[in-house]
Amino acid sequence: MRQGFVVALVGAESTGKTTLAGELRDALAADGREVVVVPEYLREFCDRMRRTPRADEQPHIAFEQTRRIAEAAATHDVVVADTTALMIAVYSDTVFGDRSLDDDAAVAHRRYDMTLLTALDLPWIADGHQRDGEHVREPVDARVRAALQRAGLPYAIVAGRGPARVAGALKAVRHALDIARPDDEAAANPKWQWVCERCGDVDCERHRLPRRRE
């Protein structure tokens, strides 16, 4: 069965995940990859129901997000997942004090090839029923990091605005896919000791990303 390379985007609300997903899709398609974005099912749910989900609806939302990612990975070279079940688990904990989704979300997330965590350096923007407010971003970010660490999942931070944000994410993805371009400093460094303009620490999350195993 075909299994595409899955890039999982996670992060607090209003940190640019959906925009970044589309930009990564376009750039990787230009590289010649067959790539698809799996949208956030929670957004679809909220738009259809005109409300946020109840606690008892959270497991279905997490399951459906995971199912759609798996379905896309069976038919495409690269899948960019605009959130995963791990985020549903985090919000279940944040909103309802419910940690029951944690284990299944971690199991599902371990199937993905790399994780990008969007930083809090973008302004918060209201978005109908779905967003709770700027005050929840830092607690959610902390919970996402804790969930990734508990599950032993490496991740890279995506920061910056405009072209800089997508450029950093794209460099990480291309490196993991082993398609770094000749002018990319990471191309000459298989252990990825590349240092970005924001960080000189080779032990930071960005440098711990695993290379894809063939």
Side-chain angles (χ1 to χ4, degrees):
M1 182 178 179
R2 184 176 182 181
Q3 179 61 43
F5 185 99
V6 178
V7 180
L9 302 184
V10 296
E13 63 184 38
S14 196
T15 54
K17 295 187 294 297
T18 300
T19 298
L20 180 61
E23 291 172 333
L24 286 174
R25 176 199 58 212
D26 294 346
L28 293 170
D31 287 339
R33 293 277 173 168
E34 186 182 9
V35 56
V36 66
V37 169
V38 176
E40 183 181 22
Y41 176 63
L42 174 61
R43 179 182 298 275
E44 178 183 324
F45 177 95
C46 292
D47 288 345
R48 183 176 70 250
M49 303 298 290
R50 295 184 175 275
R51 61 172 174 81
T52 55
R54 302 186 306 264
D56 63 292
E57 294 168 321
Q58 294 284 84
H60 162 70
I61 293 169
F63 172 84
E64 182 62 15
Q65 187 72 39
T66 299
R67 187 194 70 78
R68 293 186 179 193
I69 294 169
E71 184 178 70
T75 55
H76 293 81
D77 291 336
V78 181
V79 175
V80 182
D82 180 9
T83 205
T84 73
L86 184 137
M87 288 304 307
I88 308 302
V90 165
Y91 277 108
S92 287
D93 181 19
T94 303
V95 178
F96 303 111
D98 178 13
R99 297 278 303 275
S100 65
L101 302 182
D102 288 10
D103 290 345
D104 286 347
V107 169
H109 205 102
R110 289 192 186 100
R111 302 188 189 110
Y112 308 146
D113 297 274
M114 68 182 303
T115 301
L116 301 179
L117 172 63
T118 48
L120 302 178
D121 54 346
L122 297 182
W124 183 84
I125 299 174
D127 187 18
H129 300 283
Q130 192 169 350
R131 291 181 178 166
D132 296 315
E134 187 173 6
H135 65 285
V136 305
R137 295 208 301 174
E138 288 191 11
V140 167
D141 180 77
R143 280 186 167 93
V144 173
R145 291 169 184 258
L148 290 167
Q149 290 167 2
R150 281 196 305 271
L153 294 164
Y155 60 93
I157 303 296
V158 178
R161 298 194 181 190
R165 200 175 190 85
V166 67
L170 187 58
K171 189 165 289 189
V173 175
R174 281 182 175 144
H175 180 86
L177 284 166
D178 289 329
I179 57 169
R181 294 181 175 179
D183 60 349
D184 184 346
E185 61 266 48
N189 197 338
K191 293 185 178 180
W192 197 17
Q193 298 292 320
W194 172 62
V195 178
C196 73
E197 70 277 11
R198 293 176 300 279
C199 175
D201 179 9
V202 296
D203 293 321
C204 82
E205 296 98 337
R206 236 176 172 147
H207 308 289
R208 297 205 305 270
L209 269 175
R211 296 174 65 83
R212 190 182 186 189
R213 294 177 183 175
E214 302 296 339

